[in-house]
Amino acid sequence: MTLMKEPDLGTPAQPGEATVTVEIDGMPITVPPNTSIMRAAAMTGIDIPKLCATDSLEAFGSCRLCLVEIDGRKGTPASCTTPVAEGMKVRTQTPRVEKLRQGVMELYISDHPLDCLTCSANGDCELQDMSGVVGLRQVRYGYEGENHLDLLTDSSNPYFDFEASKCIACSRCVRACSEVQGTFALTIEGRGFESKVSAGGVDFMSSECVSCGACVQACPTATLQEKSVVELGMPTRSVVTTCAYCGVGCSFKAELRGDELVRMVPYKGGDANEGHSCVKGRFAFGYATHPDRQMNPMIRESIEDEWQVVDWETAISYTARKLLEVQAKYGSGSIGGITSSRTTNEEVYVVQKMVRAAFGNNNVDTCARVCHSPTGYGLNQTFGTSAGTQDFKSVAKADVIVVIGANPTDGHPVFASRMKKRLREGAKLVVIDPRRIDLVRSPHVEAQYHLQLQPGTNVAIVNALAHVVVTEDLVAKDFVAERCEGYEEWAEFIARPENSPEATESITGVPAADLRAAARLYATGGNSAIYYGLGVTEHSQGSTMVMGMANLAMATGNIGRDGVGVNPLRGQNNVQGSCDMGSFPHELPGYRHVSDDAVRETFEAVWGRTILPEPGLRIPNMFDAAIDGSFRALFVQGEDIAQSDPNTKHVFAALESLDLLVVQDLFINETAKMAHVFLPGTSFLEKDGTFTNAERRINRVRPVMAPKTGKHEWEVACEIAQAMGYPMSYNHPREIMDEIAALTPTFAGVSFDRLDKLGSIQWPCNEKAPEGTPIMHVDAFVRGKGHFVPTTFVPTDERSTRKYPLILTTGRILSQYNVGAQTRRTANVAWHPEDLLEIHPHDAEVRGINDGDEVSLSSRVGETALRAVLSDRMPVGVVYTTFHHPVTGANVVTTENSDWATNCPEYKVTAVQVGLRTPVPPKQGAGFDQIPVTVLD
Ligand code: SF4
Ligand code: SF4
Ligand code: SF4
Ligand code: FES
């Protein structure tokens, strides 16, 4: 529940036009057919008492508190389960229903602890509220008989308690877990008086529960309650803001008591999440006040020196002076910056502006380089815009869902819940992934086809799917003829025998018959939608694969309406925004190339500086140039490149070569350990600005508290620029957004005022689309005609060899986030305290590895150690790990191979060997490369 109440109309909205007119307590109202009496009443402002109903769940009709009388009908039906009918006259307050309601409440209260005054939910309890609403004045039954008051509390979950003695068996939690979250962890066990909520017969922590909090949110009593509320007390104020973890971009009410954040409650009015959340956004915010957090600027001449704490003025002037010194000595292009996908659009914008206008070059890149840069390239080439085509809601209209190289239940959990709901309604699912992700089979969801391909063969698969579409005459000919170009050339290419499922089977490992069946389903199954993740982009042919998926969608006409599209599931909260804001070395905000004279002139007129027409350095080029000696100083905002970028040794060599490394972050991360200047960053709770999620939705990030460091990050970038001689200042981040809107056609209609009014806006937002654009390419593609691009499959250079016979692929787990800087500093470590290596039992057996053994993981570039877990989720020959813990440093082994078009690293394919570690412990302080291993060859 939440103290900051949003309207609860009792039952969900029904689709369709409002055509049924009823009268409730004399008030007429017209609503869509199948609307419940309870909802219709609430829409007229009449709240019927309720306990088991809430508008996020289907009506259940168990508590009998919402009884009403209907003229001409016998009895007292439950208003939550009774739909309206034309001409119906309903009375919600009659002596008869009032008496019945009091009787129901009396029974509830007679089996409920009467500790309201000291209960943690006092003031936030629907049972308490309803007692007052129904006018309960006495409870005739004592506590002598059988009751539930001695039931024990389950405190196993780190974030919430289950105080069973307070449960009224309304089943809202059970239904929230199944209907909203789709995990089905809870049931009501027993019947009648014996009915009780059960997490499958074990405690919450040992159950299937994924700690999304939906049950806590749904519970009308203090039974399921956040521990933070028990410890800190009921919050007293709330601020609506946006989650800073993944690209779903869930809206939350940050609820505070004074200045202390008590809990994050998912906001029903948030269009991305509509009141749902996952364990990270809901509970894992403690890192913002973790003792490791650095609040003061620090400088040092050499990384051998101790840090010196300084004030902001000193840190900024020191940084500016050093940057200018490097430029004076090595040239204007010897310095650069990396923006962060964790920061706001406004913060990203000022950093790229600082680089372009104050540094005087285009050496700015972003961490999107290492995740979704191929999305930008591929979708731009084919559709004309570097972003996904749909809003999240669109999945509710999909008939066939194809998930490629993504693991939504772990990586994008709230969207996964939407997707699973649609799958439970009957949509078909195709999963294309080397690993058997949870979606392949989970409660009430089963993929029709799991195409378990060999890592690195995506393009062969997408070509084979398209081959079936073209050669079996499944092409949407009218769509292609009217809306696309380049079809003939592409069709000739794709129909070649080498692209057939039979020819590619030996490369991909996917049976031709399965692939043909999946292709037919996609082409003929109704609305077909593709959702994809880093398993598509982080390959040497990442951009090719993105274009391959776009080709497939165009060939089948699955673009430009609800339920279809090509949709990247973006990793970080603002990875879309950081790309939109001109973080790439070749593009100004709005994806406009720096070589375009007219575009540059627009920016030059406002910025008052000349912008170079040549693209600057990408991150990998910066590293290479640092090692060569031509690139000498780097400003890194909010990215731990030493942990997240591939080939750690190479990254360290580059960072060690710099004369000046400036890191702005919350913590002394692996990169900051190599830095000369540390500038403390702000957490999302302190930020004021906007994030843009994976559906191009611009959400407001509102400050819940003042910056704990004393300065906003946008102010820091402005002050460095000023100290370098370039005047850059704003009074408020809204002015930065105004500048973005003035200079970026796709943002032309965006402002803080408009966002506050509309809640959120999906770009493009301009004169043509003043309220934004949920679905793109509706009547025409952004580039005019959709462009088919032939996508020749080129095998990666990274092959398994005698020395490195296994292929490593990597991914995320639900409870942890990227390099773990935040989630490792929360109670989420309870679920994932270390990275594990998943290895097929066959591969383990031939190496003498048992479940839980410590193993070495080595590639041609490095070696690390971690514990093995035997799993048949991967095919034989493929191993899998996460990269959340620096102690494992999974990127020690990933190589410098990268996407041909964008340099996005090929994280998903690394030839490795795995061996049982000898029992000799590493020397103290030993690096990963000194860990002794037994190499089996
Ligand atoms: S926290 Fe989420 S997954 Fe766990 S029981 Fe509650 S609703 Fe189900
Ligand atoms: S735990 Fe809460 S939501 Fe679940 S049945 Fe009990 S009172 Fe209802
Ligand atoms: S799904 Fe993503 S945005 Fe939503 S709460 Fe979880 S981490 Fe935050
Ligand atoms: S609210 Fe209608 S029966 Fe419980």
Side-chain angles (χ1 to χ4, degrees):
M1 279 207 301
T2 168
L3 190 65
M4 317 303 160
K5 290 196 171 55
E6 295 167 71
D8 183 347
L9 304 185
T11 61
Q14 296 300 319
E17 295 289 307
T19 54
V20 181
T21 302
V22 294
E23 199 179 287
I24 301 174
D25 293 342
M27 305 276 288
I29 175 127
T30 304
V31 292
N34 294 323
T35 300
S36 70
I37 292 174
M38 175 178 279
R39 186 177 178 93
M43 289 164 75
T44 67
I46 299 166
D47 287 331
I48 299 174
K50 60 181 172 56
L51 275 174
C52 70
T54 183
D55 62 10
S56 57
L57 303 172
E58 293 303 325
F60 192 57
S62 70
C63 75
R64 312 300 295 166
L65 201 64
C66 66
L67 308 179
V68 291
E69 292 195 72
I70 302 172
D71 286 4
R73 284 204 200 175
K74 283 190 190 156
T76 50
S79 63
C80 62
T81 50
T82 308
V84 292
E86 184 61 36
M88 186 183 256
K89 287 194 170 133
V90 180
R91 284 174 296 141
T92 69
Q93 298 288 345
T94 66
R96 187 176 171 203
V97 295
E98 281 174 11
K99 189 155 181 256
L100 286 167
R101 287 177 192 155
Q102 284 179 359
V104 169
M105 280 309 299
E106 204 177 346
L107 285 171
Y108 275 124
I109 298 299
S110 69
D111 191 9
H112 197 83
L114 291 180
D115 61 352
C116 287
L117 292 182
T118 52
C119 175
S120 55
N122 187 14
D124 186 22
C125 170
E126 291 183 41
L127 189 68
Q128 196 180 42
D129 294 347
M130 289 306 125
S131 296
V133 166
V134 305
L136 187 69
R137 293 290 174 267
Q138 60 167 344
V139 177
R140 286 165 292 168
Y141 321 109
Y143 285 142
E144 293 77 37
E146 265 192 290
N147 59 45
H148 298 88
L149 301 178
D150 293 333
L151 292 180
L152 297 177
T153 297
D154 174 355
S155 297
S156 60
N157 188 287
Y159 295 118
F160 59 84
D161 291 336
F162 173 63
E163 200 174 341
S165 63
K166 290 184 173 163
C167 180
I168 59 170
C170 67
S171 180
R172 271 163 67 160
C173 55
V174 177
R175 289 178 285 140
C177 190
S178 1
E179 288 176 31
V180 179
Q181 166 57 25
T183 292
F184 296 84
L186 302 178
T187 51
I188 297 277
E189 266 181 18
R191 284 170 171 262
F193 182 80
E194 300 300 327
S195 301
K196 63 171 189 198
V197 172
S198 164
V202 292
D203 63 30
F204 269 76
M205 199 56 186
S206 319
S207 74
E208 295 295 312
C209 168
V210 293
S211 292
C212 69
C215 55
V216 180
Q217 182 67 11
C219 183
T221 66
T223 314
L224 282 159
Q225 175 107 67
E226 300 92 343
K227 286 185 197 304
S228 59
V229 174
V230 179
E231 282 159 21
L232 301 172
M234 202 42 81
T236 53
R237 66 185 177 99
S238 92
V239 179
V240 174
T241 189
T242 305
C243 177
Y245 280 114
C246 86
V248 177
C250 296
S251 296
F252 280 89
K253 285 178 291 181
E255 295 195 344
L256 296 103
R257 188 176 172 86
D259 277 348
E260 190 156 29
L261 181 60
V262 177
R263 64 181 172 188
M264 297 289 285
V265 177
Y267 181 48
K268 280 206 296 194
D271 288 315
N273 57 320
E274 295 177 327
H276 191 35
S277 64
C278 83
V279 60
K280 295 188 287 287
R282 180 72 152 91
F283 297 117
F285 52 82
Y287 68 86
T289 47
H290 193 278
D292 285 355
R293 185 157 166 211
Q294 299 296 318
M295 302 299 182
N296 297 301
M298 299 188 292
I299 58 174
R300 58 184 175 183
E301 279 296 317
S302 141
I303 62 168
E304 308 300 330
D305 297 341
E306 289 290 311
W307 283 111
Q308 212 189 319
V309 174
V310 293
D311 58 23
W312 274 111
E313 207 183 325
T314 309
I316 283 165
S317 60
Y318 182 86
T319 303
R321 180 168 55 80
K322 287 282 183 182
L323 285 167
L324 289 170
E325 279 173 13
V326 169
Q327 275 193 311
K329 201 162 166 192
Y330 300 103
S332 158
S334 61
I335 67 176
I338 296 177
T339 69
S340 171
S341 295
R342 319 303 322 280
T343 60
T344 62
N345 286 318
E346 293 73 16
E347 288 165 336
V348 172
Y349 179 85
V350 292
V351 170
Q352 64 85 35
K353 182 175 172 181
M354 171 183 81
V355 171
R356 293 200 155 100
F359 293 10
N361 61 47
N362 286 315
N363 292 338
V364 61
D365 207 355
T366 176
C367 51
R369 170 73 51 214
V370 299
C371 65
H372 266 289
S373 48
T375 288
Y377 180 87
L379 294 184
N380 198 27
Q381 292 293 310
T382 47
F383 298 160
T385 197
S386 299
T389 60
Q390 311 296 118
D391 59 358
F392 289 146
K393 285 191 185 100
S394 161
V395 77
K397 298 275 172 55
D399 301 306
V400 178
I401 298 171
V402 182
V403 177
I404 311 179
N407 186 5
T409 51
D410 282 60
H412 303 84
V414 166
F415 176 68
S417 292
R418 276 186 195 264
M419 186 185 268
K420 287 200 289 186
K421 187 168 187 203
R422 182 61 188 153
L423 293 168
R424 291 197 301 276
E425 288 167 355
K428 304 282 189 291
L429 173 66
V430 176
V431 173
I432 303 178
D433 202 295
R435 188 161 171 262
R436 197 182 67 237
I437 58 171
D438 285 347
L439 268 184
V440 172
R441 182 175 293 173
S442 60
H444 305 280
V445 167
E446 182 159 8
Q448 270 60 41
Y449 302 102
H450 175 204
L451 308 185
Q452 197 168 16
L453 76 175
Q454 280 296 312
T457 63
N458 283 339
V459 173
I461 287 278
V462 83
N463 283 350
L465 290 167
H467 177 93
V468 176
V469 169
V470 169
T471 57
E472 294 192 9
D473 200 20
L474 305 176
V475 173
K477 295 193 187 73
D478 290 348
F479 181 93
V480 169
E482 281 166 29
R483 300 204 35 195
C484 305
E485 62 187 18
Y487 174 75
E488 295 304 329
E489 187 195 344
W490 173 77
E492 183 279 318
F493 155 78
I494 211 76
R496 289 178 199 160
E498 67 262 30
N499 289 322
S500 73
E502 290 71 20
T504 50
E505 180 173 325
S506 61
I507 302 164
T508 64
V510 173
D514 286 357
L515 194 136
R516 281 193 180 274
R520 289 170 195 143
L521 179 63
Y522 176 80
T524 64
N527 286 339
S528 292
I530 294 173
Y531 293 90
Y532 71 94
L534 302 181
V536 158
T537 54
E538 291 178 342
H539 285 274
S540 59
Q541 281 202 293
S543 293
T544 315
M545 179 62 183
V546 173
M547 293 189 288
M549 296 183 304
N551 292 336
L552 188 62
M554 287 189 289
T556 52
N558 279 309
I559 284 289
R561 62 180 189 279
D562 256 337
V564 298
V566 180
N567 304 287
L569 294 174
R570 300 270 187 168
Q572 307 204 59
N573 53 323
N574 199 34
V575 69
Q576 179 70 55
S578 72
C579 299
D580 301 343
M581 291 300 107
S583 288
F584 289 128
H586 65 296
E587 282 172 340
L588 285 154
Y591 303 99
R592 287 161 302 156
H593 205 279
V594 291
S595 62
D596 186 324
D597 294 345
V599 171
R600 273 199 331 280
E601 278 165 21
T602 320
F603 281 88
E604 287 168 351
V606 174
W607 291 359
R609 284 287 163 105
T610 304
I611 300 167
L612 295 182
E614 299 85 25
L617 297 175
R618 296 172 172 183
I619 292 172
N621 307 135
M622 291 181 193
F623 293 156
D624 292 344
I627 290 167
D628 289 351
S630 57
F631 187 76
R632 313 294 292 222
L634 178 62
F635 175 95
V636 186
Q637 187 180 41
E639 270 309 301
D640 192 359
I641 48 177
Q643 199 188 337
S644 61
D645 283 41
N647 195 351
T648 308
K649 271 190 199 166
H650 183 70
V651 178
F652 270 75
L655 298 182
E656 271 171 358
S657 309
L658 294 172
D659 292 352
L660 177 70
L661 175 60
V662 183
V663 169
Q664 185 162 32
D665 210 287
L666 300 181
F667 306 106
I668 299 288
N669 57 23
E670 300 305 298
T671 311
K673 288 176 187 164
M674 316 281 289
H676 307 91
V677 177
F678 180 85
L679 305 172
T682 50
S683 78
F684 79 110
L685 298 169
E686 298 140 60
K687 290 186 188 297
D688 192 350
T690 55
F691 291 153
T692 307
N693 77 354
E695 41 167 11
R696 296 169 278 104
R697 187 182 300 284
I698 308 160
N699 272 313
R700 277 285 277 123
V701 184
R702 295 184 181 85
V704 169
M705 54 189 74
K708 287 180 178 293
T709 58
K711 219 175 254 304
H712 286 290
E713 288 184 41
W714 60 267
E715 289 175 312
V716 175
C718 287
E719 287 175 23
I720 293 172
Q722 297 214 47
M724 292 179 76
Y726 174 67
M728 179 159 84
S729 70
Y730 303 90
N731 294 309
H732 190 271
R734 67 173 59 242
E735 293 178 4
I736 305 174
M737 179 52 85
D738 291 345
E739 184 174 313
I740 294 166
L743 290 170
T744 314
T746 44
F747 275 66
V750 181
S751 68
F752 280 22
D753 285 347
R754 206 159 173 69
L755 284 164
D756 289 340
K757 189 166 158 235
L758 296 177
S760 63
I761 297 172
Q762 287 176 270
W763 66 258
C765 173
N766 44 34
E767 262 184 15
K768 270 188 0 203
E771 301 209 342
T773 312
I775 310 274
M776 296 203 70
H777 318 299
V778 173
D779 298 317
F781 285 93
V782 168
R783 69 182 297 284
K785 297 258 181 184
H787 181 208
F788 281 95
V789 180
T791 51
T792 305
F793 170 61
V794 180
T796 167
D797 290 340
E798 189 70 10
R799 315 261 167 90
S800 52
T801 61
R802 231 172 90 72
K803 193 164 180 201
Y804 300 111
L806 302 171
I807 294 293
L808 170 74
T809 188
T810 59
R812 281 194 207 165
I813 201 160
L814 170 68
S815 57
Q816 295 288 341
Y817 184 76
N818 279 14
V819 296
Q822 288 126 312
T823 43
R824 280 186 286 107
R825 292 182 171 94
T826 69
N828 279 27
V829 286
W831 289 282
H832 188 73
E834 60 182 324
D835 291 321
L836 297 168
L837 186 78
E838 289 186 22
I839 181 167
H840 193 279
H842 173 79
D843 292 325
E845 191 185 353
V846 296
R847 289 165 175 77
I849 294 169
N850 293 310
D851 208 42
D853 280 350
E854 204 162 321
V855 295
S856 66
L857 174 69
S858 52
S859 74
R860 64 183 162 80
V861 301
E863 183 173 311
T864 185
L866 67 178
R867 280 196 308 125
V869 54
L870 271 50
S871 163
D872 62 1
R873 282 172 169 249
M874 285 80 49
V876 172
V878 181
V879 291
Y880 170 88
T881 190
T882 48
F883 50 90
H884 302 306
H885 291 269
V887 67
T888 320
N891 285 325
V892 168
V893 300
T894 51
T895 70
E896 67 289 347
N897 290 351
S898 66
D899 174 46
W900 63 271
T902 65
N903 278 145
C904 181
E906 191 185 36
Y907 287 119
K908 301 296 182 188
V909 190
T910 308
V912 294
Q913 176 58 293
V914 176
L916 196 58
R917 279 191 67 193
T918 57
V920 185
K923 285 184 212 130
Q924 200 151 22
F928 294 125
D929 54 353
Q930 290 163 282
I931 293 170
V933 290
T934 308
V935 176
L936 302 173
D937 201 351

